[in-house]
Amino acid sequence: MFPPALPRAVTIDLDRTGRSDVSPQFVARALDQWARVCQQSRRELANTGNDYTIYLGPDARDDLQRPLDALPRRSAPAPQPH
């Protein structure tokens, strides 16, 4: 499964940061990892020894937060109402 392509403007803004930890390639890998976590069943994720819950999910979430924090305000997604 491949993550959806990033919008062109976001890719350009990520490139402009000059940071390897928020590059479009890095974000694509983090999105792929997050997608793998999300594909796990609720029962699998509830297992206390599940690496997706303990390591992979939190790491992917943190890896996705970094680019969101680095993007200019116009590129960052708007908060969604609850």
Side-chain angles (χ1 to χ4, degrees), residues 1-69:
M1 173 180 184
F2 292 102
L6 297 173
R8 188 169 193 272
V10 172
T11 299
I12 290 169
D13 285 340
L14 289 171
D15 279 337
R16 285 183 180 157
T17 68
R19 293 174 46 184
S20 62
D21 66 330
V22 297
S23 71
Q25 297 82 9
F26 179 86
V27 173
R29 284 191 300 273
L31 283 170
D32 183 55
Q33 185 64 47
W34 185 250
R36 291 172 195 261
V37 171
C38 293
Q39 290 173 350
Q40 300 300 306
S41 72
R42 189 177 290 221
R43 190 169 93 180
E44 290 171 315
L45 292 173
N47 181 350
T48 58
N50 186 329
D51 284 347
Y52 284 99
T53 305
I54 297 170
Y55 304 109
L56 302 176
D59 287 348
R61 184 188 58 228
D62 292 346
D63 288 347
L64 290 171
Q65 187 62 49
R66 242 179 278 129
L68 290 174
D69 294 340

